[in-house]
Every structure is written in C-alpha cells, then in structure tokens.
Amino acid sequence: MPKAGDHIVIVGGTSGLGHSIAQAADALGAKVTIAGRGRERAEKLARSINPRVAGLHIDLEDSSSIDEALADGDPIDHLVLTPVYGGNQSIKDFKVEEALRAARIKIVAFAEIVSKALPRMKPTSSIVLFGGAAKARPYPGSTMVTIVNGGMIGMARTLAVELAPIRVNGISPGLVEDSPRWQKRIKEGAGPAVEAMRSRSPTRRLPTTEDIVHGVFFLMDNRAANGIDLELDGGALLV
C-alpha cells in the first residue's frame, strides 16, 4: 500500500482504472497527481477526487506535452502508466498509420514518460506499466493490441535492469467487468462474451477494479517484486 505522503503520479489517471487507482491512493493519504488529455479536464477530474490532487495535461502523441508536464515538480515515489490502446485491426487489413499510433501510445510514449520522469525519481521509487491479457490470448483483430501489450513485458524487464535500484513491473489485467470500458461494451452487446470468459475462468469470476488497484499497490509496496508481469485474470490464461 502507498504510505501517507508518498507522491504517486498516474498517467491515465483521468479515466478508467487509472482514476480508480488515484481515488484509492488519495484515500490512503498519498499525494496524488493524475495526467490525461486536456488541461482543464485533468484539473477538473483531479479536484473531483480531492482539491489537493493535481491534474496535468499529457497527450501521449505529443512529446512537448510530456516534456512540459514532467519537467518540474516534487520527487516521485511511484509512477503508474495505465493508458490502453484499443484499436482493432488484422494483418489482412493492416494499416501502417494505425500501427504506428499503437506503438507511439503504448511503447514510445511509455518509455518517453519514464525518461522524462527519471530525474524526479528516487532510488526507492517504483514504476508500474499496464499491459493486458491480449499479450497471451489474442482475439480477432487484436494484432497491434497483442504486440504492444507483449512489449510491456520486455520494457518492464529491461528498465528494471537499467534503472536499478528503481523497481519496474508490469501488470496485465484480464477482462475487468466493472471497469467503465467494459461496462460500456456490455451495454453495446458484449454481455455473452463476458459470461463466456467468466465460465472459462478457473475461479468462475472476473477481476474487479478493486483487484487491479490492490495489484498495483502490491507492486508499489513489495520490494522483492521487480521486472515481473503480474497477471490478474483469475487464471483465465491457464485454460
């Protein structure tokens, strides 16, 4: 668990799982900074958590926004990168521009953020990189999603070596049913697919937002966790 006073920077903290992590960290007394697209939007969402939470503008496709957001500020105890890339395309319908966008969002921008934040990090700091279960369980149209999520594993491992003693880990959530993203999909007709995934899981349950938040806090807290990919899917990848 983050300690009271720890400074946690959550890129992607303006929505979805990132926002839930920010809320939970603030409730524990941590100093929280969230970042997402749109300065006014980020600041408004930060205030909705707590007036003391800071909001920053970062567009993952705009290096200047990353430079500006991370150039100055308090030391960072924990850096969490949650943004997802959800574009579907197959090799048969491969579009280079969209593939480059996927790589930019999930590979280049993640590495760029770590590089820019590094001067503010401590030897005891940690970094958590979000991937996803598609790395190992592709689905129709997941070509670039699978590729970039797989890249998160390599990034966590190489950065854990290069940035030592800073710890770097990946986290790969499965289908998080109560997340805003999946609640929207269920309303759009994905309910049968969700139930199929639940019935296939050894635990007969799907991970919840709370499970993912606890996983992130574990990676922040456990000093032996380094260079790992924490799969939180109830064992669905086993079957």
Side-chain angles (χ1 to χ4, degrees):
M1 295 287 183
K3 300 184 295 294
D6 281 355
H7 185 200
I8 301 174
V9 175
I10 306 165
V11 178
T14 54
S15 63
L17 295 173
H19 195 65
S20 296
I21 295 165
Q23 290 175 311
D26 175 73
L28 290 171
K31 177 178 180 176
V32 177
T33 299
I34 62 173
R37 281 189 297 178
R39 189 179 311 279
E40 291 184 6
R41 172 177 173 269
E43 291 175 350
K44 180 179 179 180
L45 288 165
R47 290 193 300 270
S48 74
I49 298 172
N50 193 313
R52 68 187 178 193
V53 175
L56 301 174
H57 165 63
I58 286 184
D59 181 342
L60 299 179
E61 299 179 75
D62 177 12
S63 292
S64 64
S65 74
I66 296 173
D67 292 344
E68 181 180 348
L70 298 174
D72 299 302
D74 294 334
I76 299 171
D77 294 287
H78 304 289
L79 175 64
V80 184
L81 283 70
T82 70
V84 299
Y85 167 79
N88 279 5
Q89 65 169 319
S90 67
I91 286 295
K92 292 179 181 179
D93 302 316
F94 193 73
K95 297 178 178 61
V96 172
E97 288 187 2
E98 187 60 25
L100 290 172
R101 181 170 181 266
R104 168 70 205 187
I105 290 171
K106 285 291 290 187
I107 301 293
V108 176
F110 274 39
E112 189 174 15
I113 288 167
V114 172
S115 176
K116 296 301 181 181
L118 193 57
R120 295 170 55 191
M121 302 192 78
K122 310 172 183 178
T124 54
S125 294
S126 77
I127 300 170
V128 179
L129 309 174
F130 267 65
K135 63 170 189 178
R137 188 183 290 278
Y139 53 85
S142 76
T143 299
M144 288 308 301
V145 177
T146 296
I147 289 171
V148 296
N149 282 343
M152 289 298 99
I153 302 172
M155 187 182 299
R157 289 176 176 172
T158 191
L159 293 183
V161 173
E162 182 178 356
L163 303 184
I166 293 172
R167 294 183 300 106
V168 186
N169 293 291
I171 186 166
S172 293
L175 192 165
V176 184
E177 182 180 9
D178 66 345
S179 67
R181 182 181 178 211
W182 274 101
Q183 285 295 300
K184 181 175 182 290
R185 290 189 178 185
I186 290 169
K187 290 179 181 178
E188 293 171 348
V194 171
E195 290 307 317
M197 181 65 75
R198 190 197 320 280
S199 65
R200 194 161 60 233
S201 171
T203 60
R204 300 297 187 268
R205 68 180 293 273
L206 296 171
T208 65
T209 296
E210 184 179 13
D211 295 328
I212 308 307
V213 171
H214 284 176
V216 171
F217 287 173
F218 163 79
L219 293 174
M220 289 180 184
D221 188 54
N222 193 301
R223 292 174 295 176
N226 196 24
I228 68 171
D229 177 44
L230 182 62
E231 297 176 350
L232 294 179
D233 65 349
L237 289 176
L238 299 174
V239 297

